[in-house]
Amino acid sequence: MDQTDAHSEDYLKYSVRLGISHLLLGNNSKALEQFNSVISQTNNDTLNIYRTHSINNIGKLYENQGRFKESIAEYQKARLLYQFYKDSFMVDMTIMNQGVVEKKQGKYKKAILNLTLSAEGFIRRGDDYQLSEVYTALGAIQERLGDNDKAMSFYRQSLEICIERKDLYG
């Protein structure tokens, strides 16, 4: 990689991080502008990882805005690209994100399927932090479905992970 490529990569990385900062601060228009800038700069390189991160984060932005159909479409695009990279963590994250959106939509069967699929990946990888998030989401779904025993089981599993990690904020 020559110096120009390294500079470009650093710039793209910075641009994605800046977009995420705007997203976290609720500056959605600036976040979207930043992510779209990365996408346009990588237009000839559809497999660029920063382009993929931008697509994934646009999914989060749409989710935050309640634009669930568009959010799922972005998460699915990002998932396919992450699969190309063989980035199993990010594949599982996009599956989890899609499950969370489906939960918000009240599409509980689809949400359970995707959340369970992501949980399997987090278990394989030993990623307790994300697993506790999935268990909490699954517990909320079971509670909404009226199965309080299943809900409590998922909540208990999530809490056990948090206690084990000494992280009660999960």
Side-chain angles (χ1 to χ4, degrees):
M1 179 184 308
D2 68 24
Q3 192 173 6
T4 306
D5 291 339
H7 174 73
S8 297
E9 185 169 337
D10 287 344
Y11 180 78
L12 292 171
K13 184 186 301 184
Y14 167 79
S15 295
V16 171
R17 288 181 179 165
L18 182 59
I20 292 169
S21 296
H22 285 304
L23 182 62
L24 293 172
L25 292 170
N27 299 328
N28 292 333
S29 61
K30 288 183 179 180
L32 186 60
E33 181 181 314
Q34 200 66 39
F35 296 135
N36 281 329
S37 172
V38 171
I39 290 169
S40 69
Q41 291 175 51
T42 58
N43 201 27
N44 294 329
D45 184 6
T46 58
L47 298 177
N48 182 289
I49 190 69
Y50 300 108
R51 177 186 185 85
T52 306
H53 290 329
S54 293
I55 292 167
N56 186 51
N57 282 295
I58 290 172
K60 184 65 175 172
L61 185 146
Y62 289 158
E63 177 185 342
N64 292 348
Q65 293 177 329
R67 296 165 61 183
F68 299 135
K69 186 176 180 180
E70 294 163 279
S71 175
I72 287 175
E74 295 301 312
Y75 285 145
Q76 288 173 339
K77 278 192 263 182
R79 177 182 174 185
L80 291 173
L81 293 169
Y82 286 128
Q83 284 173 328
F84 175 81
Y85 292 115
K86 298 183 180 9
D87 187 338
S88 61
F89 173 76
M90 287 307 298
V91 168
D92 291 334
M93 287 297 295
T94 58
I95 293 169
M96 180 182 77
N97 292 344
Q98 183 174 337
V100 168
V101 171
E102 290 161 343
K103 177 181 78 103
K104 290 177 180 181
Q105 290 177 302
K107 296 179 178 180
Y108 298 131
K109 285 184 181 181
K110 286 183 176 182
I112 290 169
L113 178 70
N114 280 315
L115 290 167
T116 302
L117 184 61
S118 68
E120 291 168 0
F122 296 137
I123 290 168
R124 269 192 314 276
R125 201 179 302 80
D127 187 337
D128 289 343
Y129 180 82
Q130 298 303 330
L131 185 58
S132 71
E133 294 288 320
V134 171
Y135 285 156
T136 299
L138 287 167
I141 291 170
Q142 293 303 327
E143 188 175 352
R144 288 190 184 131
L145 293 174
D147 193 335
N148 292 332
D149 290 337
K150 269 189 184 175
M152 286 305 298
S153 175
F154 282 119
Y155 289 145
R156 198 171 287 116
Q157 289 177 71
S158 178
L159 185 58
E160 286 171 4
I161 290 170
C162 292
I163 290 170
E164 185 178 303
R165 291 176 45 113
K166 297 181 178 150
D167 177 11
L168 295 180
Y169 299 103

